[in-house]
Amino acid sequence: KAYQVADEFFSQMDERKYEPDVSAKMADLLVLQQRVVEAIDTYEHLQTKWPLAEKNPIYQKTIADLFIEMEDVDAYYDTMEVLSQRYNENSDWWRENRNNPKALDRARGYIEVSLRQVADRQFARAAESGEQEDFSRAADLYGEYLSKFPFADGYYVAQWFMCEALMLAQRFEDASLQYQQMLKSREN
């Protein structure tokens, strides 16, 4: 693997503060050379070797985008879910980068997109299966998205899908409360 060659080279040196930058540039070049699997491995290696690095959410998002280019939608969603878990407000990465608002804003933006996409995907799966449990899971995912991003552009649409998922999950009391909340917020 390309990153192993770089690791071996850098292991022979004392000071190598620039090693992450060289590895990132190597991953970028692998993408340009259409060596996508090696690029993904290198971006993953960067995150493993320097788990608190500022640019890690960018690398994880790049991996997700590469999976889309490879038409591997499942891997895309899995990768975005990892991004949401690894770089959220409760993570070690977030605490380490707390004084870097640009990095935090970027990670927050990626997480917002990810949570919404995961909820939408679960709703689509539930629509295919027709299973109440699947709709219930979709409703819970929309609830997580809405609680974390109360000022999101698509808030009301997500709230509507959450209500629909609750109804289809036969969680009628929860659905009624959400519909009422949605109506109140639209009045204001």
Side-chain angles (χ1 to χ4, degrees), residues 3-158:
Y3 70 82
Q4 290 171 326
V5 173
D7 280 353
E8 186 177 321
F9 172 77
F10 283 114
S11 70
Q12 300 170 15
M13 306 174 143
D14 290 334
E15 190 70 32
R16 47 187 205 272
K17 292 180 182 177
Y18 52 85
E19 183 181 352
D21 295 329
V22 171
S23 294
K25 187 64 174 171
M26 181 174 57
D28 295 342
L29 290 171
L30 289 167
V31 171
L32 291 173
Q33 296 171 355
Q34 297 185 355
R35 295 166 60 187
V36 176
V37 173
E38 285 182 274
I40 289 170
D41 289 343
T42 304
Y43 287 126
E44 287 176 345
H45 178 69
L46 277 162
Q47 295 175 78
T48 301
K49 192 164 185 178
W50 298 281
L52 305 177
E54 167 189 338
K55 294 183 179 178
N56 281 355
I58 296 170
Y59 302 145
Q60 189 68 17
K61 178 67 167 85
T62 302
I63 292 169
D65 292 342
L66 290 171
F67 280 125
I68 284 294
E69 287 181 26
M70 295 168 56
E71 299 180 3
D72 190 341
V73 176
D74 289 335
Y76 168 82
Y77 284 113
D78 292 344
T79 302
M80 290 298 286
E81 192 167 339
V82 167
L83 187 153
S84 294
Q85 294 167 2
R86 194 179 286 169
Y87 304 113
N88 69 39
E89 295 171 352
N90 299 317
S91 68
D92 291 337
W93 178 89
W94 192 278
R95 283 186 286 284
E96 177 68 22
N97 289 279
R98 68 185 170 276
N99 295 323
N100 186 340
K102 185 177 178 181
L104 298 180
D105 286 345
R106 183 181 305 116
R108 188 179 290 113
Y110 291 155
I111 291 167
E112 180 179 346
V113 168
S114 172
L115 287 176
R116 178 61 192 270
Q117 288 176 337
V118 168
D120 289 343
R121 183 173 188 231
Q122 179 60 36
F123 189 89
R125 284 181 172 169
E128 285 179 17
S129 74
E131 297 291 326
Q132 289 179 3
E133 305 86 46
D134 291 341
F135 282 112
S136 187
R137 175 75 177 130
D140 293 342
L141 288 168
Y142 281 118
E144 181 182 353
Y145 167 77
L146 294 169
S147 68
K148 288 187 178 186
F149 301 101
F151 301 104
D153 288 339
Y155 186 88
Y156 294 111
V157 173

